[in-house]
Amino acid sequence: MTSQSTVNADNAAPSPGERSRWGVFGNLAFTVILIASSVSNVGIAMFDTSMSWLMTSLNPDPMMVSAVQVATMLPMFLLTLPAGALADIVDARRLLFGAQAAVALISIAFAVVVSAGLATPTNLLLTTFALGVGGAIAAPVWQLVTPKLVPKDDLDSAIAINNASYSVSRAIGPAVGGFAIAAWSIDVPFWCYVAGNLAIAAAVVWWHAPRRVKETLPAERFTSAVRTGLRYVRHNRDMDSTLIRAVAFFLFGSAYWALLPLIARSQMHNGAALYGALLGMIGLGSILGSVALNWLKERLGPDGLAAMASVGTIAALVMYAGATASALAMAASLVAGACWTVMMTTLFVSAQVALPDWVRGRGLAILLTAYFGAMTLGSALWGKVASAEGLPTTLMIAAAGALIGMLATSSRKLQTAAALDLTPSLHWRDRTFAQPVDDDQGPVLVSIEYRVDPADRAPFLEAMQEIGFERKRDGAFAWNVFEDTADVGRIVEIFLIQSLLELRHLRARVTKADQIVEAEAHKFLKEPPNATFLIAPKRNREKRRRLAAVLQPATVER
């Protein structure tokens, strides 16, 4: 088990009969965090607008402008997975405060640099990268915070309110940022960003997270947690489909994010106010997409939603390519924002329903890593293409790529795990050993012998393939089944676990959905299965090194 399980203590949820008439807003912690994050999101939107616009003033080359997006996304791509592992095994509140405090300090330092007129392309990109590091650490933690703020019955409402708040902030922030640059100076949005960071850091300090349930198992080791998270997602076909669809969409959709400052400045020969207005329209589109999401999902389903979002993004890219007047560019931004929100929500829900609690932080971090990786690669790619071919051609190429990606991945279905019960079943009996065994001792070889009727061999082996996915998802690094050629009907399952501690964690990870699959396989058995656990003895590495030194031939000097 991971160290993430929580109970509602300091922020205890009222019972249904005592529930506040204010709904989720009756929970003070949620309301305070919501207000602080809304202020912070406005500051972030102003900051993003100003950073890209500042680069067009310092160096308007498309490669340098798109490099701002690369510098933002690259640390997200590199660090989100380790941060997700940390979020699953350490205290989320402390990790979040550390990340937010670091971001606040960096933002203050850069605001001073901009105010002093010392900004350069180099320190702009370095600052963007450093802030991206802080964002990468905080991103998976924020995915886990909302369930800690509200009772489970209010979770849907809380997520919807969070999404609406984010969309409103992203609609207001760019327009305010563009106006502030035009009316006052370039440094004003950066100081607003500082204020937003201080607000969210103060809210995190004020918030007292619910006390965690005392774990019966030691926390996972960090490197093992990362490896286990990757292994789980690799052998989860629902997550596999979600990741493929995400990369196919975001790689091409990133084009307008990377090139939008140049669309406003170079293609439309306008200023910061128009750029902020275009970003504001993207935010407004996000609000409309959020409002219409449930209605559209009831009629189209998740795969229909994804197809609609892809088609809308393709249309937006084509409109951007032909935009010479503000009206067309505004319309493109509205469509792009709505489709972006619909696709993001559909993909993240698909990941949420495919992940049990013990690996949720890591699984969502892997999806974020795919998202940031596609955005990083796409931003660099489209900046380079725009330098060589120009903006309209680049946007049309991105639209064609998005169409190909949509058609190539249409067979990958989303949210197929929604009906599965991923709560722990705990139906495996805990194993005891005749001699003391350390948690880190291993690897452990698990052998399970089955007896089946030869007539049932084919359906049993088919069911065992599903069980194989389960074993590898939950921690086995090698798995297979073997048939005894001398004893017809005797089939042996073998899998390897890294250590005894990992074996104990594997037992706690088996879900009720996995239990149903195992029960289907066991219907074909003639007798109960027989499991054997073998563990590798401890190895004295220091003794081996001394022995190797003694046996090594002496060097002969000439």
Side-chain angles (χ1 to χ4, degrees):
M1 297 287 287
T2 66
S3 59
Q4 185 182 301
S5 300
T6 61
V7 292
N8 291 323
D10 296 337
N11 294 325
S15 64
E18 301 172 346
R19 187 144 300 168
S20 170
R21 61 179 178 175
W22 300 103
V24 292
F25 293 108
N27 187 302
L28 181 61
F30 173 78
T31 304
V32 170
I33 295 290
L34 176 69
I35 293 171
S37 61
S38 298
V39 172
S40 177
N41 285 333
V42 171
I44 291 171
M46 295 177 69
F47 176 84
D48 290 344
T49 304
S50 304
M51 285 293 260
S52 296
W53 193 256
L54 180 59
M55 181 59 86
T56 65
S57 302
L58 297 172
N59 189 336
D61 182 84
M63 280 292 293
M64 293 302 295
V65 176
S66 65
V68 176
Q69 187 83 351
V70 173
T72 301
M73 295 298 176
L74 183 59
M76 297 287 202
F77 170 65
L78 296 175
L79 300 177
T80 300
L81 175 56
L86 283 175
D88 275 335
I89 63 179
V90 304
D91 183 75
R93 177 177 173 271
R94 293 182 180 180
L95 183 62
L96 183 59
F97 174 72
Q100 291 298 147
V103 167
L105 291 174
I106 295 168
S107 66
I108 291 171
F110 190 68
V112 171
V113 168
V114 175
S115 296
L118 301 176
T120 66
T122 300
N123 61 36
L124 186 152
L125 292 175
L126 288 175
T127 300
T128 304
F129 185 87
L131 292 170
V133 171
I137 295 172
V141 187
W142 279 118
Q143 299 289 327
L144 304 175
V145 164
T146 301
K148 297 174 183 287
L149 296 174
V150 297
K152 186 176 181 180
D153 290 345
D154 288 334
L155 189 56
D156 288 345
S157 297
I159 292 174
I161 291 168
N162 277 334
N163 288 339
S165 169
Y166 178 79
S167 297
V168 170
S169 300
R170 300 299 291 185
I172 295 172
V176 174
F179 175 80
I181 294 171
W184 294 298
S185 64
I186 189 68
D187 62 318
V188 172
F190 293 99
W191 286 109
C192 292
Y193 177 57
V194 169
N197 284 325
L198 293 176
I200 196 66
V204 173
V205 170
W206 169 84
W207 173 50
H208 295 286
R211 291 190 297 270
R212 290 182 288 177
V213 174
K214 184 178 180 181
E215 297 293 341
T216 58
L217 294 178
E220 294 178 80
R221 310 296 190 261
F222 175 73
T223 54
S224 176
V226 174
R227 186 169 55 246
T228 301
L230 287 169
R231 185 184 299 124
Y232 184 92
V233 171
R234 177 188 171 193
H235 297 291
N236 184 322
R237 284 169 292 185
D238 301 307
M239 281 297 296
D240 183 53
S241 295
T242 303
L243 290 171
I244 290 172
R245 294 286 290 269
V247 172
F249 177 81
F250 294 122
L251 180 63
F252 301 101
S254 63
Y256 69 83
W257 285 108
L259 300 175
L260 196 59
L262 292 173
I263 294 172
R265 186 165 200 153
S266 302
Q267 183 171 303
M268 303 181 65
H269 307 291
N270 217 304
L274 177 62
Y275 174 53
L278 292 177
L279 285 175
M281 288 300 289
I282 291 177
L284 178 59
S286 297
I287 297 171
L288 297 177
S290 298
V291 170
L293 187 63
N294 289 335
W295 183 85
L296 290 170
K297 187 175 181 179
E298 289 177 0
R299 288 154 179 79
L300 302 177
D303 295 299
L305 276 178
M308 185 200 72
S310 296
V311 171
T313 299
I314 294 166
L317 287 166
V318 172
M319 285 191 286
Y320 277 130
T324 54
S326 59
L328 185 58
M330 290 284 191
S333 296
L334 189 70
V335 173
C339 293
W340 195 268
T341 292
V342 168
M343 180 61 89
M344 283 282 286
T345 304
T346 302
L347 291 171
F348 271 87
V349 170
S350 185
Q352 286 272 8
V353 299
L355 295 166
D357 287 342
W358 69 268
V359 75
R360 190 175 303 279
R362 280 161 283 183
L364 292 173
I366 290 170
L367 177 58
L368 286 171
T369 300
Y371 164 69
F372 292 127
M375 292 290 286
T376 302
L377 177 61
S379 297
L381 172 65
W382 304 123
K384 187 173 182 61
V385 174
S387 294
E389 303 295 336
L391 290 175
T393 301
T394 300
L395 292 165
M396 291 300 292
I397 292 172
L403 177 61
I404 294 170
M406 180 188 71
L407 296 175
T409 61
S410 60
S411 62
R412 299 280 183 167
K413 303 304 180 183
L414 299 174
Q415 300 184 23
T416 52
L420 300 180
D421 186 350
L422 300 182
T423 55
S425 65
L426 300 177
H427 70 285
W428 281 29
R429 183 168 58 88
D430 199 7
R431 293 291 168 174
T432 57
F433 296 88
Q435 58 188 21
V437 181
D438 293 338
D439 279 343
D440 290 328
Q441 193 170 334
V444 180
L445 175 65
V446 182
S447 172
I448 306 178
E449 180 178 327
Y450 304 98
R451 291 280 180 176
V452 300
D453 190 295
D456 295 326
R457 171 185 170 278
F460 176 75
L461 290 177
E462 183 178 350
M464 287 303 299
Q465 292 302 313
E466 291 298 318
I467 291 177
F469 280 110
E470 170 200 327
R471 306 285 196 240
K472 288 182 280 190
R473 283 196 303 267
D474 291 344
F477 66 85
W479 176 90
N480 217 324
V481 290
F482 302 87
E483 296 183 84
D484 189 340
T485 57
D487 187 354
V488 178
R490 179 174 179 262
I491 298 175
V492 180
E493 176 191 9
I494 301 287
F495 56 98
L496 282 164
I497 306 293
Q498 192 68 38
S499 65
L500 177 62
L501 178 59
E502 274 296 295
L503 177 63
R504 295 168 67 191
H505 280 299
L506 185 148
R507 172 183 174 272
R509 292 167 183 162
V510 179
T511 67
K512 291 181 180 178
D514 296 330
Q515 185 180 14
I516 292 173
V517 174
E518 292 180 16
E520 286 297 316
H522 290 181
K523 288 180 180 179
F524 301 106
L525 299 184
K526 297 166 62 177
E527 59 186 61
N530 181 31
T532 303
F533 296 79
L534 303 176
I535 190 164
K538 289 183 178 179
R539 301 176 183 178
N540 192 326
R541 297 182 179 179
E542 184 61 32
K543 184 175 180 180
R544 287 207 315 274
R545 282 196 292 266
R546 289 198 300 267
L547 180 61
V550 170
L551 296 177
Q552 184 177 1
T555 302
V556 178
E557 295 186 2
R558 301 193 179 192

